[in-house]
Amino acid sequence: MTLALPPLPYDYDALEPFISAATMKLHHDVHHRGYLDRVEALVRGSALEGQSLEALIRRSSGNPELRSLYNSAAQAWNHAFFWRSLRPAGSAGAPPQEIAGRIAADFGGQQQCLDAFRSIALAHFGSGWTWLLERDGRLCIEATANADSPLGRGGVPLLVVDVWEHAYYLDYQSRRGEYLTAVLGHLLDWDFAQRNLRERSDEVHA
Ligand code: MN
């Protein structure tokens, strides 16, 4: 089953008090599952059936006739990546040495990186995602609109934060800034970012 809903990598209440169990249940069990269900319905019986999410995203990206498939597949992939970008409250540590050095070189320091992340996420109009990426050998922060994912555009995603309103409305109503302060300050999994950076480096040097 290539399109099975991946379980959360922690308990529903692991992100409290920053993100509630109620938000996580709705977000994972309803929103994330819903995107996968739509992908399955769209590919059933077609030549695309059985392909991985990554393959479906690359196949449908930029194709107006496959826009619905792209939106649902990208949303499913983005959500799985988002869960892994976070870790239980109280367990988050500082970035490992290698990525900390890259952050210092490209942003001037950890705080500047987080400030840039927050201001780009806060300024993004409407639904979307904010990413820490490696692009052309540099780390950068970029926002994507709606379902858009950096997959297939040459950037390597390291971390993502969901800025769709469904990610924070139950806990923060429309106060996206408070949600971002909580997530960026307490929940980012820098070990995950480091692993993504290293896997990419292995690929490049292979
Ligand atoms: Mn979401």
Side-chain angles (χ1 to χ4, degrees):
M1 258 306 268
T2 52
L3 298 179
L5 179 68
L8 283 178
Y10 30 72
D11 292 335
Y12 291 108
D13 63 359
L15 307 182
E16 292 190 343
F18 306 107
I19 300 178
S20 66
T23 288
M24 293 305 288
K25 263 191 191 301
L26 182 71
H27 201 170
H28 178 265
D29 295 5
V30 178
H31 289 278
H32 189 176
R33 182 186 297 279
Y35 293 121
L36 281 166
D37 287 349
R38 281 199 283 283
V39 172
E40 288 207 29
L42 287 165
V43 299
R44 195 170 297 135
S46 82
L48 298 172
E49 189 166 359
Q51 294 197 10
S52 69
L53 271 185
E54 290 84 353
L56 292 172
I57 292 167
R58 293 181 200 281
R59 174 78 174 75
S60 58
S61 177
N63 182 339
E65 287 175 16
L66 296 176
R67 188 71 201 175
S68 297
L69 175 62
Y70 176 81
N71 284 339
S72 293
Q75 279 295 82
W77 191 92
N78 292 352
H79 279 93
F81 197 84
F82 177 48
W83 310 137
R84 298 168 70 207
S85 294
L86 307 182
R87 54 186 296 163
S91 76
Q97 196 176 359
E98 182 189 352
I99 195 169
R102 297 285 304 272
I103 289 169
D106 293 337
F107 293 96
Q110 174 73 357
Q111 193 55 51
Q112 288 91 328
C113 174
L114 292 174
D115 289 348
F117 202 117
R118 187 175 192 283
S119 67
I120 287 171
L122 198 52
H124 179 73
F125 183 76
S127 295
W129 301 83
T130 306
W131 307 80
L132 175 66
L133 299 174
E134 184 194 51
R135 183 186 294 291
D136 301 328
R138 285 180 62 85
L139 302 193
C140 58
I141 309 290
E142 291 181 13
T144 58
N146 301 315
D148 274 350
S149 167
L151 280 197
R153 295 172 171 197
V156 180
L158 305 179
L159 289 174
V160 73
V161 174
D162 189 342
V163 296
W164 282 60
E165 227 172 41
H166 67 226
Y168 56 87
Y169 200 82
L170 284 183
D171 298 328
Y172 298 95
Q173 288 82 52
S174 61
R175 300 187 302 278
R176 185 188 287 180
E178 288 182 28
Y179 159 75
L180 290 169
T181 298
V183 170
L184 298 176
H186 300 278
L187 299 177
L188 292 182
D189 187 344
W190 290 101
D191 294 333
F192 178 62
Q194 171 70 66
R195 284 198 301 281
N196 291 325
L197 188 62
R198 181 155 297 161
E199 280 163 24
R200 170 57 175 175
S201 302
D202 290 348
E203 237 172 71
V204 169
H205 297 130

